[in-house]
Amino acid sequence: MKRKSFTAIETLLTIGVIAVTTGVSIPMYRNFQIRTDLDLATEQTIQALRSAQVRSQAGEEDAQWGVWTSDGILFQGETYSLRNPDADEEYPIPSTISVSGLSQVTFSRVDGVPQYVGDIILEAINGDQRTITVSADGVLSSTGIESPVFSDDDDDDDSGADDDDDDDDSGSDDDDDSGSDDDDSGSDDDDTVADDDSGDDDTVADDDDDSGSGDDDDDDDSEPTEPCEDRFNVSSNGTIETTGTVDATFKALGSEITYGAGGPEIQVTVEASTDGGSTWIPLFGGVDIDGGEEQVIENLPSGSHIVLRFKGRHRWFWQKTYKSNDQTGHVEVLRDGNSPPDYQPYANQASLESFLQEVIDDNGKIDIGEYDVVLLGELGTLRTASSDFQDAVVLIEFRQKAGSCAGTDDPRFKIDFERLENFGTGNVSRSVYVGPQQIRYTEGQWIPLKVNGVTIVDGGLVETVPGLAVERRNGAVRILLHGSHPSGGSKEIVDARITFDGALVQGADNDVGNNKSESPFNGIINDGPGGDEVTLGTVDALYQAKVTILDDAIFINWLEGSSDSG
């Protein structure tokens, strides 16, 4: 009888050990499988990128090659949308992995230089990440696995809400932030800064409550540069979209965050993107900010999508990254006239108010330019004692380029690209660079010929731009496609339509010397050396140019007058 009791106990113990072992092993195996998927996705993506680079350098199929990163597709063509689908090769991304950052990478022929540079971020469902960096010289590199930090409540309280931020982010942070973070700020400023900005024409675009104030009209404008006084709109997800050619000045007003109360300082860096997050530019030399740092990015054309990315790092075990448009509530936007949120500083840190001191007036309101914004970054957990939104405080000032604003009362023109192809070292893009200052315009953006009735004369242009170079003269527009490529098959082909508003086309003249186009008025159009052509209409002109070792330029003559173009 006694032996039977011992046998039953042994059986129960064995079952218990098996249950505990199983309970521990299954999650461990699951985590191992997720990390294996992440490593596999990283290696697959790097392999695809290297294959695309090698094929481009070798000129395989006389084409460029690239990778569509989100789906792991190696494609043939200048872009994914213009690819040859029959040449697609799959490098599958496991379903447990999501991809962000660079959506596509295309390499140039011969030298294998990437068209876009930046990071490709692969993230597993448990928050683990690996980052692939594509550098300007075509070198590919990747990080090891970077894991989110999970800690218990005691650690959360001691870490300045930095560590326990993972708890919110892992399951419910987005929901909490979208519903209640604005209230926690002590004002409605974070809720797209609606109350204080309601009188501005270019206020935050997602202001549903302000639909009667004219904001929606700004968002629906088909001409992004009108009215002239506009500089930018803030879209519903926090992206700043420029509405004219501007210079953007980034100023770090301050930063303070520690790993726990009184703990070591966490290093905070800031990056900017002008294309909505596809590529990133390190600001302030890419080093830890303290306040006082400043950097200017010049000639941002209309339609640029500006996003900031705040990164916090403490050694290898604590890393946080938030973007100004990720809608997590970790970045707030302040405009001129807003009341700054009343966040209390964590522990003995400096207050948010102290960082904003130089941009606050005597009434305690934000006092910055009409076309400026302040971004407040919080890298820790929201709605806690440590949520003080002074981990990174950055001012962005927008200044319109002189002579870049095209109003509707003066004559103007725009350039649309009907064809654009690069071969070899060709690098023409869908951009227009005007005058010796290289004022950059996007495709379809109106360029003024007169301002307040005064004709603009640029006095030259810069030939070596990655687009069309333009010079405005009295009664003429000079348009140049830069060649000067080394021999060996390099070529650029552009069909550009120049459309005038408030002016009529009076004719065209060829340029001279090494800049003259080849037989542009003989009616012969092809991709060979003599295939240049200019076709004139009443209010537009189609310029078709091909360059190899020399530039091609043309003069389109205009006269102010009525026009039927919208």
Side-chain angles (χ1 to χ4, degrees), residues 171-234:
S172 60
D173 186 49
D174 288 347
D175 296 337
D176 292 339
D177 293 345
S178 61
S180 60
D181 183 51
D182 296 340
D183 295 336
D184 189 71
S185 69
S187 70
D188 290 330
D189 292 346
D190 185 42
D191 192 9
T192 65
V193 202
D195 296 340
D196 295 309
D197 268 355
S198 60
D200 294 341
D201 288 338
D202 57 353
T203 53
V204 179
D206 65 330
D207 238 340
D208 294 335
D209 293 338
D210 286 349
S211 59
S213 67
D215 291 349
D216 291 343
D217 292 338
D218 287 346
D219 297 341
D220 294 336
D221 283 344
S222 59
E223 304 299 345
T225 59
E226 301 176 293
C228 286
E229 61 268 17
D230 281 356
R231 300 292 188 278
F232 65 91
N233 286 318
V234 182

Side-chain angles (χ1 to χ4, degrees), residues 339-400:
S339 297
D342 186 22
Y343 291 117
Q344 296 302 308
Y346 178 66
N348 295 318
Q349 295 178 6
S351 66
L352 172 61
E353 183 179 3
S354 68
F355 291 156
L356 296 174
Q357 199 61 46
E358 65 178 270
V359 295
I360 293 181
D361 62 18
D362 294 337
N363 297 317
K365 302 284 188 179
I366 296 296
D367 183 16
I368 55 179
E370 183 180 0
Y371 305 109
D372 302 338
V373 292
V374 175
L375 299 183
L376 313 177
E378 173 57 52
L379 295 172
T381 302
L382 303 178
R383 297 174 301 281
T384 66
S386 65
S387 182
D388 49 17
F389 278 86
Q390 39 78 298
D391 300 345
V393 182
V394 177
L395 168 66
I396 310 178
E397 298 174 329
F398 293 92
R399 299 292 177 265
Q400 196 146 47

